[in-house]
Amino acid sequence: MHIQTSISSRQLYLLKMQFRGLGFTIAVVLALALIERPSSLTYTSDIRFKPQPWEPPCGLTEGIEIVCLCIFILDVTVKSYLIGWEEFRMNKWLIGYVIVIAASVIDWMLSISMMCNESLRVRRLIRPFFLLQNSSLMKKTLKCIKRTLPEIASVVLLLALHLCIFTMIGMLIFAKSDDPKKNGEWETYFKNLPKALSSLLVLLTTANNPDVMIPAYSLNRGYSIFFILFSVFGTYLLMNLMTAIIYNQFRGYLLMSVQTSIIRRRLGIRAAFEVLCCPGRGHTSTQSEGHVERVAVNMFLQVMGRVHMKSYCRQDIIKAAQQFPDGFIDGEAFQRLFNELDKDFMKEHPPKPEYSSPALQHIQYIYSHYYITVLGNVVALANVICVCTVLVLNSEKSASERSYFYMEIINCAFIMYYLIEMILKIVAHGWRGYLSFRNNIFDGFLTVLLLALQIAIFITYKTPSDSEEVDPVPHRVMALWEMVRLVNMLIVFRFLRIIPEIKLMAVVASTLVDLVKNLRAFAGILLVVYYVFAVLGIWLFQGAITPPPNMSLNASIENNTGPYSMDCGTFEQLEYWPNNFDDFASSLVLLYNIMVVNNWHVFTDAYTRYTTEWSLVYFVAWWMTSSVMWVNLFVALILENFTYKWDRSNTMSVEDVERIAYQSTVQFMFREHVQEPTEEELLAQLHQHPHLHLSW
């Protein structure tokens, strides 16, 4: 009897290549925005001296795009064929996939017919959909955001009410006076309703605090109460309440998602048990009286040899299965076997080499001790202190005035210590044992790199002295100062080796690594939002801000007329000219600067002066989407991830934190809060499953 239990290795490889190929295609079609008109291929985005960018000839980007669209058409065709027409009609994402592809093809045909001279490319706005539909976790995240929107809307309405009430009160308090000396607050911040609203909206983000209250505060200290009350209720209560709501809603959604994932896993394991214990039996048949369903261990081991999973999980499951004395596994034990998937993987280091020489044994004992690591950290700290001291002494000297002799002597001494430490650790642990520690890989790589740079300096410049020229050969690839600076940067970077030795820092670093690995879906959605707003910004504001005529890099614009302003704190006075929507890359940078909210009112003020006051709607919408919603969501996930890591590390030593490989995906963080499905629930769902058809 033969049971087909899994796809072959070749099929699995082809599936992986297909998925990676589709991901590469999506990356290519999204990156087209960087070279399409307006092109971002210039060394600067400063509109005062920005060169004419290279524009691709008509048909180049269009040819790449149509190839990508053909791949998407093939992808949706295969998916539709595999799931069938009934499933396709119920899948909104696939229907949207087809609509987006069709709209992109139509818009592409219009571009070709107009010889690429069209002013608007609609397909550029809908390209991010390809990224969204290719990730199930992004779809789940969007569902979560959709579920959170009603609660967020209630807080936003409360914020709007808070803003409107204080705006009206502010316009009443800071009304125009007959005394011109008392009109500073009115003139600058409360002259009309739009200006008052925007001033207090910016104060909600603290970007113009305390500037907004200084004119009134200088007249009477009692006016500060108005602004303090506004900030306390708006910034510290309502904004933090929004963070709490987003965190609570997202946590609740992830709990539901984990519960669903656990049920799916248990259902799959139970279905595998049903197939393996009674091959060919229908799931509607009844068991004979007194019969106990069991799986033969030999058959189970044969299947495990073909299942695709992590090697350490496979080894643990096989080892546990081999412990059954009678050669059979019942249903409950079958479920318990796969609990190994939820366990942490503890990395074991290879055994140390055995030496007969007393000297080598002594070296092995010393350099395997924890105090050697402490000594290495102290030496690294001393090296960083030396570098900092030299930097302070040379901070106001130019490259030609600096002396490198003593710096090179100090660096050589420390690098020799690092080299000796690395060699003796290799002797103590052996090659495999040395490389089994992540800290040693980090130290060894930087030590070899530092040694190579130091040798390059000696070969190129010999030993520098106080009287020697800095760089007597100007045509060299890298100047002496550049090489020394690179060495110093690597030395400072090497000091990060202390992170795993401090438990709190190790947990924080591990949390950051997990965020990078496991929150790609959230970063993907943020990329989608950035992409859409950048395209909209180009459509709305491309070329809106222009420098005054005949203005050079450091020229003044005080004598120019128009929307220009050299008042303190304005766009022109701060020389924010590189921040614009004239191409895709500069649009992304400008959106990031606004998301940080520091001085974001400078951009809103400039675009309201150069365009219309309605431009404020675009910037407020971006602030609400990025800073209010997405940053709060990211903060909530960081808190949950760190809390999960910290709780689990309380019972571990620093060495355990270093050895353990957490399986802490976003969903796994909530594993302990979900309920296991009962046997009756599993059987009920198994009998109703539409894709499981077992028959005699």
Side-chain angles (χ1 to χ4, degrees):
M1 178 183 61
H2 173 73
I3 301 174
Q4 183 67 30
T5 56
S6 64
I7 60 177
S8 66
S9 300
R10 179 177 177 81
Q11 289 173 321
L12 183 62
Y13 174 77
L14 291 176
L15 285 175
K16 286 184 177 180
M17 292 303 297
Q18 179 183 354
F19 183 77
R20 291 175 182 173
L22 187 60
F24 177 76
T25 304
I26 294 171
V28 169
V29 79
L30 291 177
L32 288 177
L34 294 171
I35 59 176
E36 289 176 330
R37 301 176 185 175
S39 173
S40 303
L41 301 181
T42 57
Y43 70 91
T44 181
S45 61
D46 195 316
I47 57 178
R48 293 172 296 178
F49 51 94
K50 178 181 178 181
Q52 189 68 25
W54 175 80
E55 299 288 351
C58 181
L60 177 61
T61 59
E62 288 75 15
I64 298 174
E65 187 174 11
I66 195 61
V67 172
C68 295
L69 290 175
C70 289
I71 294 175
F72 294 144
I73 292 172
L74 178 62
D75 178 56
V76 72
T77 303
V78 172
K79 289 179 179 178
S80 303
Y81 173 77
L82 292 176
I83 67 173
W85 173 248
E86 294 299 327
E87 290 285 342
F88 175 80
R89 290 193 306 170
M90 298 174 60
N91 194 317
K92 296 179 181 178
W93 282 99
L94 282 180
I95 294 175
Y97 198 7
V98 173
I99 294 174
V100 169
I101 292 175
S104 299
V105 170
I106 293 173
D107 193 58
W108 180 88
M109 295 173 65
L110 290 175
S111 297
I112 295 298
S113 64
M114 299 175 66
M115 299 300 294
C116 309
N117 291 322
E118 77 281 10
S119 59
L120 204 65
R121 292 191 175 187
V122 178
R123 64 184 184 278
R124 184 183 293 185
L125 188 65
I126 58 179
R127 282 173 186 167
F129 183 86
F130 298 129
L131 179 63
L132 287 177
Q133 65 83 30
N134 198 43
S135 171
S136 59
L137 191 53
M138 284 189 195
K139 298 173 186 177
K140 290 182 180 180
T141 307
L142 285 177
K143 284 184 180 180
C144 171
I145 294 174
K146 182 180 178 181
R147 287 166 51 90
T148 311
L149 284 178
E151 286 75 12
I152 293 178
S154 62
V155 181
V156 169
L157 288 176
L158 196 57
L159 273 173
L161 182 62
H162 168 76
L163 185 64
C164 292
I165 290 176
F166 272 85
T167 298
M168 290 184 288
I169 295 175
M171 294 187 70
L172 291 173
I173 295 176
F174 306 113
K176 186 176 182 180
S177 173
D178 293 333
D179 187 356
K181 296 181 180 179
K182 297 181 180 180
N183 287 335
E185 189 73 32
W186 170 82
E187 180 69 29
T188 309
Y189 300 106
F190 289 90
K191 192 171 185 178
N192 50 52
L193 183 61
K195 199 166 191 176
L197 273 172
S198 61
S199 298
L200 291 183
L201 178 63
V202 174
L203 179 59
L204 196 63
T205 65
T206 70
N208 62 351
N209 185 67
D211 300 1
V212 69
M213 75 173 185
I214 291 301
Y217 185 51
S218 62
L219 296 177
N220 192 318
R221 68 179 70 224
Y223 286 130
S224 63
I225 298 175
F226 169 82
F227 298 100
I228 292 173
L229 288 176
F230 176 83
S231 297
V232 167
F233 283 103
T235 306
Y236 297 109
L237 293 181
L238 294 179
M239 294 298 289
N240 289 328
L241 178 62
M242 182 172 294
T243 302
I245 288 175
I246 293 175
Y247 172 76
N248 184 65
Q249 287 296 113
F250 201 83
R251 178 185 174 88
Y253 178 77
L254 285 182
L255 280 172
M256 294 174 55
S257 178
V258 171
Q259 184 73 58
T260 304
S261 298
I262 293 297
I263 292 176
R264 281 202 302 263
R265 176 185 289 185
R266 298 294 178 257
L267 188 63
I269 294 172
R270 181 65 189 186
F273 178 79
E274 290 290 326
V275 172
L276 293 176
C277 72
C278 302
R281 178 178 61 79
H283 66 262
T284 58
S285 63
T286 59
Q287 300 178 21
S288 60
E289 187 176 355
H291 174 70
V292 178
E293 294 180 325
R294 297 188 301 175
V295 173
V297 172
N298 291 335
M299 182 181 294
F300 177 77
L301 295 179
Q302 178 186 357
V303 172
M304 286 301 300
R306 304 184 62 187
V307 172
H308 177 69
M309 65 171 59
K310 294 180 179 178
S311 59
Y312 63 87
C313 290
R314 187 203 311 273
Q315 294 171 4
D316 291 341
I317 293 174
I318 292 176
K319 183 178 179 180
Q322 291 172 342
Q323 303 301 318
F324 290 91
D326 58 351
F328 291 94
I329 311 171
D330 60 23
E332 185 178 350
F334 193 87
Q335 287 280 0
R336 287 200 305 269
L337 281 176
F338 289 92
N339 289 339
E340 299 291 337
L341 297 174
D342 294 336
K343 292 183 179 180
D344 295 321
F345 170 59
M346 301 295 290
K347 183 173 64 175
E348 299 294 338
H349 300 296
K352 298 176 183 177
E354 297 182 359
Y355 298 110
S356 57
S357 171
L360 291 178
Q361 290 176 357
H362 192 60
I363 291 174
Q364 187 177 53
Y365 173 77
I366 293 175
Y367 277 85
S368 299
H369 203 280
Y370 175 71
Y371 287 143
I372 289 297
T373 303
V374 175
L375 176 62
N377 292 335
V378 172
V379 173
L381 177 61
N383 196 354
V384 171
I385 292 175
C386 291
V387 171
C388 291
T389 303
V390 173
L391 290 177
V392 170
L393 294 176
N394 293 335
S395 60
E396 296 186 3
K397 296 180 181 179
S398 64
S400 60
E401 297 172 337
R402 292 169 183 158
S403 174
Y404 305 101
F405 180 75
Y406 297 107
M407 187 74 251
E408 284 298 294
I409 295 298
I410 293 172
N411 285 346
C412 285
F414 280 108
I415 291 173
M416 288 304 298
Y417 172 82
Y418 298 150
L419 182 62
I420 294 172
E421 180 190 40
M422 181 183 71
I423 294 173
L424 293 179
K425 280 189 175 182
I426 293 174
V427 172
H429 297 280
W431 272 108
R432 292 182 59 194
Y434 179 83
L435 296 176
S436 66
F437 292 89
R438 287 175 290 182
N439 272 4
N440 289 342
I441 297 175
F442 179 77
D443 286 349
F445 174 74
L446 289 182
T447 299
V448 172
L449 197 57
L450 286 170
L451 182 64
L453 280 172
Q454 202 63 47
I455 293 174
I457 290 175
F458 282 145
I459 293 175
T460 308
Y461 300 98
K462 309 300 181 184
T463 303
S465 61
D466 291 335
S467 59
E468 188 177 336
E469 293 291 332
V470 175
D471 194 358
V473 185
H475 63 270
R476 286 169 177 161
V477 176
M478 183 178 291
L480 174 61
W481 161 238
E482 297 294 335
M483 299 181 76
V484 173
R485 184 166 61 175
L486 181 58
V487 169
N488 291 337
M489 285 190 293
L490 290 176
I491 288 172
V492 174
F493 187 64
R494 189 180 184 275
F495 187 62
L496 295 177
R497 59 175 281 168
I498 70 167
I499 289 178
E501 309 304 327
I502 303 174
K503 186 175 181 179
L504 179 59
M505 293 180 65
V507 174
V508 172
S510 180
T511 302
L512 293 176
V513 172
D514 272 350
L515 288 173
V516 173
K517 291 191 301 183
N518 300 319
L519 298 186
R520 289 174 295 180
F522 306 99
I525 295 181
L526 184 59
L527 173 63
V528 168
V529 175
Y530 260 96
Y531 200 100
V532 171
F533 270 87
V535 173
L536 287 175
I538 293 174
W539 289 358
L540 295 173
F541 306 116
Q542 182 186 356
I545 292 184
T546 55
N550 302 322
M551 180 182 178
S552 61
L553 179 61
N554 298 314
S556 173
I557 62 173
E558 293 181 355
N559 297 325
N560 286 279
T561 59
Y564 313 110
S565 173
M566 281 301 292
D567 293 341
C568 181
T570 59
F571 185 93
E572 296 84 356
Q573 188 269 329
L574 294 172
E575 296 188 346
Y576 280 5
W577 301 106
N579 295 281
N580 53 70
F581 286 102
D582 287 0
D583 58 66
F584 188 76
S586 61
S587 300
L588 294 176
V589 175
L590 177 54
L591 290 175
Y592 173 78
N593 291 334
I594 296 174
M595 186 180 75
V596 177
V597 301
N598 184 39
N599 276 356
W600 74 294
H601 59 288
V602 175
F603 303 111
T604 59
D605 170 72
Y607 278 93
T608 53
R609 285 190 286 108
Y610 282 86
T611 57
T612 67
E613 292 184 349
W614 287 102
S615 63
L616 190 63
V617 175
Y618 171 85
F619 294 102
V620 172
W622 170 246
W623 169 72
M624 287 291 299
T625 304
S626 61
S627 183
V628 174
M629 187 170 182
W630 201 253
V631 171
N632 283 332
L633 177 61
F634 197 66
V635 168
L637 289 170
I638 290 176
L639 289 174
E640 185 63 38
N641 200 316
F642 177 77
T643 303
Y644 166 78
K645 280 294 192 72
W646 182 252
D647 290 342
R648 301 191 69 191
S649 65
N650 280 335
T651 57
M652 300 177 186
S653 63
V654 177
E655 291 81 3
D656 289 334
V657 175
E658 164 71 15
R659 290 172 61 211
I660 195 167
Y662 284 119
Q663 305 306 310
S664 52
T665 60
V666 176
Q667 297 176 343
F668 190 74
M669 290 188 293
F670 303 95
R671 174 68 181 82
E672 60 185 14
H673 300 289
V674 300
Q675 293 181 339
E676 288 284 347
T678 63
E679 183 74 11
E680 291 75 16
E681 292 174 343
L682 289 177
L683 289 175
Q685 293 196 33
L686 190 63
H687 286 206
Q688 299 171 3
H689 202 284
H691 300 297
L692 183 63
H693 303 289
L694 302 174
S695 58
W696 289 96

